[in-house]
Amino acid sequence: TGAITRKIKGNTAMRHPQLWMGLLLWSVFGQAHAAWTVNMAPGATEVSHAVFDLHMTIFWICVVIGIIVFGAMFWSMIVHRRSTGQEPAKFHESTRVEILWTVIPLVILIAMAVPATRTLIHIYDSSESDVDIQVTGYQWKWHYKYLGQDVEFFSNLATPADQIHNQAPKGEHYLLEVDEPLVLPIGAKVRFLVTSADVIHSWWVPAFAVKRDAIPGFINEAWTRVEKPGIYRGQCAELCGKDHGFMPIVVDVKTRADYDTWLTERKAQAAQLKELTSKEWTLDELVARGDKVYHTACVACHQAQGQGLPPMFPALKGSPIATGPAADHLHRVFFGKPGTAMAAFGKQLSEVDIAAVVTYERNAWGNNKGDMVTPKDVLALKQAQGK
């Protein structure tokens, strides 16, 4: 009986391959159907709601036009088909028809242009903001500066390297997590001043309906007003280089009270960091801090063990820079190397972090120079350069 059943199934599969293909496609796509959607999301801000409402308005106008046009076409094809003995009307260059198919589309376009223009004016009205934030794109991180608040920081990718290199399971927010999220207060009008320090980037948060190009030498404006607290994620939407996919955006929207508390803490941290510049550091302390800085700002190019990715990203392990004079090493990290992918970190990192990462590179991976660069050395370099 089993042999007969297998033979019948085999014959059925051979005679009806399309049946089995259909069942296979149904099993694959049927399970994902519940999470599949074709419409855009309403978002979580005043701007995104305005964009969504405009989208739906234009969509339904197009639906009505489609129903009328295709309805008239199919009605004419069925009712006036040749088999029923219909005789075509004999007219040419009807003035009435010419006027109708010119005036009607013009009225439709005006009806669509009015709400579209109103929405665009609303989107670009960034006046009377409560919070102003300068957003600067770097390869490959974002810098946020709260204007007038003496608070600024870099936001770097926080996904572990083991996940990126398929040595560990992917996390829930793979490539969409950062060490320092942008923090906004709920209900406040926040103006973004978007620019770039190197190449063209694009700051994009879908839930905010905000997407602005970050162009070196230019400042583009955008604004948002988030209506409910939560975590919102985005990405750089411009192909900005090798690690373009490692440049996420995370926005943490807090209540007014929580935002004020966070802002106070950040100001205190900034003041504390300035005090650390005058501290007498030990070699072990700088190496420990430099380890963290390196694995945040440098590991993507120079790799975890300092082996680099030659020829674009040279190795630091045993390199002439990391094992040569400390002053040359500091100069390279501070000013970068023009014409290469080596960025200038003088404006990206604090005096403490620059000193720590240089000291770490000189004493990691067997370099073992035994010397160190202190924050005072970095501060002296800045003062000498008028920075």
Side-chain angles (χ1 to χ4, degrees), residues 58-332:
I58 303 303
F59 171 76
W60 287 117
I61 290 176
C62 293
V63 168
V64 172
I65 293 174
I67 292 174
I68 294 174
V69 171
F70 283 100
M73 183 179 70
F74 287 117
W75 180 81
S76 299
M77 292 169 60
I78 296 172
V79 176
H80 297 282
R81 63 188 185 276
R82 183 177 181 181
S83 60
T84 61
Q86 298 291 332
E87 291 291 334
K90 294 180 175 59
F91 63 89
H92 184 60
E93 295 182 356
S94 171
T95 302
R96 180 179 300 176
V97 172
E98 295 283 352
I99 293 175
L100 285 177
W101 70 30
T102 301
V103 172
I104 293 177
L106 178 62
V107 172
I108 294 173
L109 289 175
I110 293 175
M112 297 169 71
V114 170
T117 303
R118 186 185 301 118
T119 301
L120 284 174
I121 292 174
H122 181 57
I123 289 174
Y124 284 95
D125 181 15
S126 59
S127 61
E128 299 182 0
S129 58
D130 301 310
V131 180
D132 295 324
I133 300 176
Q134 179 178 313
V135 181
T136 306
Y138 287 81
Q139 289 181 307
W140 291 270
K141 60 181 79 70
W142 295 101
H143 179 263
Y144 300 115
K145 183 176 182 179
Y146 291 70
L147 302 181
Q149 298 294 336
D150 196 27
V151 171
E152 57 182 298
F153 55 87
F154 278 88
S155 181
N156 301 275
L157 175 71
T159 298
D162 289 345
Q163 293 185 20
I164 296 175
H165 297 121
N166 298 318
Q167 297 172 353
K170 302 292 191 280
E172 178 184 0
H173 301 296
Y174 175 68
L175 297 185
L176 290 175
E177 50 197 338
V178 298
D179 56 353
E180 292 282 357
L182 174 66
V183 178
L184 304 180
I186 187 175
K189 185 173 183 177
V190 181
R191 181 176 62 151
F192 301 112
L193 303 173
V194 186
T195 187
S196 172
D198 37 49
V199 300
I200 297 178
H201 302 278
S202 185
W203 199 82
W204 176 46
V205 180
F208 295 175
V210 173
K211 181 178 180 289
R212 284 292 181 273
D213 285 344
I215 304 174
F218 292 86
I219 293 179
N220 290 323
E221 291 189 18
W223 70 275
T224 191
R225 180 182 282 114
V226 190
E227 300 172 353
K228 56 183 180 181
I231 301 295
Y232 302 91
R233 303 179 189 275
Q235 293 174 295
C236 175
E238 186 69 38
L239 187 58
C240 57
K242 161 187 163 291
D243 286 335
H244 156 70
F246 300 154
M247 199 170 171
I249 300 164
V250 179
V251 183
D252 184 2
V253 180
K254 298 179 179 291
T255 62
R256 287 298 185 108
D258 290 342
Y259 172 78
D260 291 339
T261 300
W262 173 85
L263 193 60
T264 301
E265 292 175 351
R266 292 301 309 216
K267 290 181 178 180
Q269 291 176 12
Q272 183 182 14
L273 186 60
K274 291 181 179 180
E275 293 178 0
L276 290 177
T277 304
S278 59
K279 173 186 172 180
E280 295 298 329
W281 290 80
T282 66
L283 177 62
D284 291 339
E285 287 175 332
L286 285 173
V287 169
R289 187 181 183 102
D291 186 6
K292 297 179 181 179
V293 177
Y294 179 86
H295 284 86
T296 297
C298 312
V299 70
C301 297
H302 295 293
Q303 302 299 292
Q305 299 302 318
Q307 72 272 27
L309 293 171
M312 180 172 290
F313 305 111
L316 294 177
K317 180 179 179 180
S319 72
I321 289 293
T323 60
D328 294 344
H329 193 172
L330 172 59
H331 190 278
R332 176 61 55 85

Side-chain angles (χ1 to χ4, degrees), residues 6-41:
R6 288 193 296 271
K7 184 176 181 180
I8 292 174
K9 289 183 177 179
N11 290 337
T12 303
M14 292 178 63
R15 294 174 185 172
H16 305 286
Q18 66 274 21
L19 173 62
W20 294 102
M21 182 61 69
L23 291 174
L24 176 62
L25 293 175
W26 176 83
S27 65
V28 172
F29 293 103
Q31 297 176 8
H33 179 71
W36 184 71
T37 181
V38 295
N39 202 3
M40 60 187 295

